[in-house]
Amino acid sequence: MKKYFVFLILILTGISYSYAENQKYVIADKSGKTRLVPVAPEGDKWRWNGNDIYVENGAEVEGFQVKKDRSLNYSGSPYVYRECTIVKYEGNYYVVPFPEKSLKAVKDTGELTSDSGLGIRNYLSNTRLGDFYRTPLPGLLALLCAFISGIIIFYFIFTGKENQIISWLFAIPLCFISLLEIGAAFSVGTDAAWWVNPEDVGYWISTPLLIPYAIVAALMVFSYKLYGVMGHVDGPGNLVISILLFIGIGLTVISAIFVVINFLFAACLLIFAGWLFKGVDVKNSDGSSTNFGPLGNYRTDRHGNSTHI
């Protein structure tokens, strides 16, 4: 009896799933296009169904949510086993690997809406706040604020003057950076640092941009200590500044961890390439050594003289 009851629940779940109203989305990824993983229904499962495609921003699709707690099973694609979004595009079904980054919900009238069902972050991500963090402006503002605070630091070092104006001029730009980080955390999360993410802009762009990012991050990590050196402001403003700087430090550390992870694969490749370029040294019985490397093999005698072999 119990197995029939479970079977009935499965059938009802499948019916409710099949007749669920699809949500309309528009492709809106900060990179200008998004990757779709093709899948096809196979009974109560979804199987991988060909090569990935890339769809440009502005394309409208219909989709539905696939929750992990549903009774259906999913297989065949690394993106289907977890909670995900499946969309229908040009008659085929696709899994959107990162729907919170790539999709915006639209009403039947074509008007954008934040009611996408993808969570609180996607709600804010689909507003003007999310659009703001998909532009270079937040990063430029943070760099400008760091530049202003840096000027105040040098002014303090060379003049030795300590007063309330100096403290305020140093702290306010850093507090503004903290506010930028708070807004990013609530709307797009670590995607706010898309301009230093190789997956979004490639290594040729993200690598040089690590320099300004590192300058701002380093200043934020040591902001509270520098604030103490520059002198605390008087009154309740000190508490507000302290709280914002502590939040900024925490969010900066989290962001930096993800940035390091983004470049970890490239760093491992560089280390391996360096090891490979160096070659392998083998000691010989006569005291000499032989180096086997990509540029050829060299024999070095015990007097330090090398010859190509």
Side-chain angles (χ1 to χ4, degrees):
M1 183 66 183
K2 182 178 179 181
K3 65 179 181 180
Y4 292 111
F5 178 76
V6 173
F7 180 70
L8 179 61
I9 294 297
L10 293 176
I11 292 178
L12 293 176
T13 305
I15 292 175
S16 63
Y17 172 79
S18 300
Y19 289 93
E21 184 178 356
N22 290 350
Q23 168 69 55
K24 291 184 178 180
Y25 299 100
V26 62
I27 302 297
D29 193 278
K30 58 180 174 290
S31 64
K33 58 185 177 181
T34 191
R35 178 165 60 96
L36 301 181
V37 180
V39 292
E42 190 177 65
D44 61 350
K45 297 182 180 181
W46 292 91
R47 60 176 175 82
W48 178 74
N49 190 37
N51 298 322
D52 298 354
I53 66 170
Y54 288 84
V55 179
E56 301 290 335
N57 282 359
E60 289 194 6
V61 296
E62 288 191 355
F64 49 89
Q65 308 303 305
V66 175
K67 304 292 185 181
K68 287 191 297 184
D69 58 354
R70 290 188 181 273
S71 59
L72 300 178
N73 296 317
Y74 312 97
S75 62
S77 168
Y79 298 106
V80 186
Y81 72 89
R82 59 181 174 85
E83 180 177 338
C84 60
T85 299
I86 295 179
V87 298
K88 190 175 184 180
Y89 176 70
E90 295 184 346
N92 299 314
Y93 290 100
Y94 299 90
V95 169
V96 184
F98 305 103
E100 68 280 358
K101 296 171 56 177
S102 306
L103 299 179
K104 282 190 175 184
V106 295
K107 298 178 181 178
D108 292 335
T109 58
E111 179 185 353
L112 288 174
T113 175
S114 297
D115 185 19
S116 61
L118 298 178
I120 296 176
R121 175 166 292 170
N122 193 74
Y123 176 90
L124 294 175
S125 178
N126 289 337
T127 63
R128 291 183 179 179
L129 182 64
D131 294 335
F132 169 70
Y133 283 104
R134 291 186 178 91
T135 68
L137 187 57
L140 293 175
L141 289 175
L143 185 61
L144 176 62
C145 290
F147 179 73
I148 294 173
S149 293
I151 292 177
I152 300 302
I153 292 174
F154 283 108
Y155 177 81
F156 175 80
I157 292 175
F158 287 110
T159 63
K161 294 181 179 180
E162 179 181 334
N163 53 56
Q164 290 291 288
I165 296 179
I166 295 296
S167 300
W168 279 107
L169 289 177
F170 170 77
I172 287 178
L174 297 184
C175 289
F176 185 74
I177 295 177
S178 294
L179 292 175
L180 286 174
E181 292 180 313
I182 293 172
F186 279 103
S187 58
V188 295
T190 56
D191 289 337
W194 58 269
W195 40 279
V196 286
N197 186 357
E199 291 185 1
D200 292 322
V201 297
Y203 284 104
W204 288 108
I205 296 178
S206 59
T207 301
L209 289 178
L210 275 177
I211 298 175
Y213 174 85
I215 292 174
V216 177
L219 184 58
M220 285 304 301
V221 169
F222 295 102
S223 60
Y224 189 76
K225 186 174 182 178
L226 291 171
Y227 172 58
V229 174
M230 305 291 290
H232 292 184
V233 302
D234 296 331
N238 177 60
L239 178 62
V240 175
I241 291 174
S242 299
I243 292 175
L244 286 176
L245 291 183
F246 275 121
I247 294 176
I249 291 172
L251 293 177
T252 300
V253 171
I254 295 173
S255 173
I257 291 174
F258 279 92
V259 170
V260 171
I261 292 174
N262 291 336
F263 283 88
L264 192 59
F265 177 72
C268 292
L269 286 180
L270 288 175
I271 294 173
F272 177 74
W275 174 82
L276 185 64
F277 186 81
K278 181 181 178 182
V280 178
D281 291 321
V282 177
K283 293 292 184 180
N284 302 318
S285 58
D286 59 356
S288 63
S289 63
T290 303
N291 178 270
F292 300 93
L295 300 181
N297 303 328
Y298 291 85
R299 184 183 183 90
T300 304
D301 60 26
R302 49 188 175 181
H303 301 294
N305 300 317
S306 296
T307 55
H308 185 270
I309 57 175

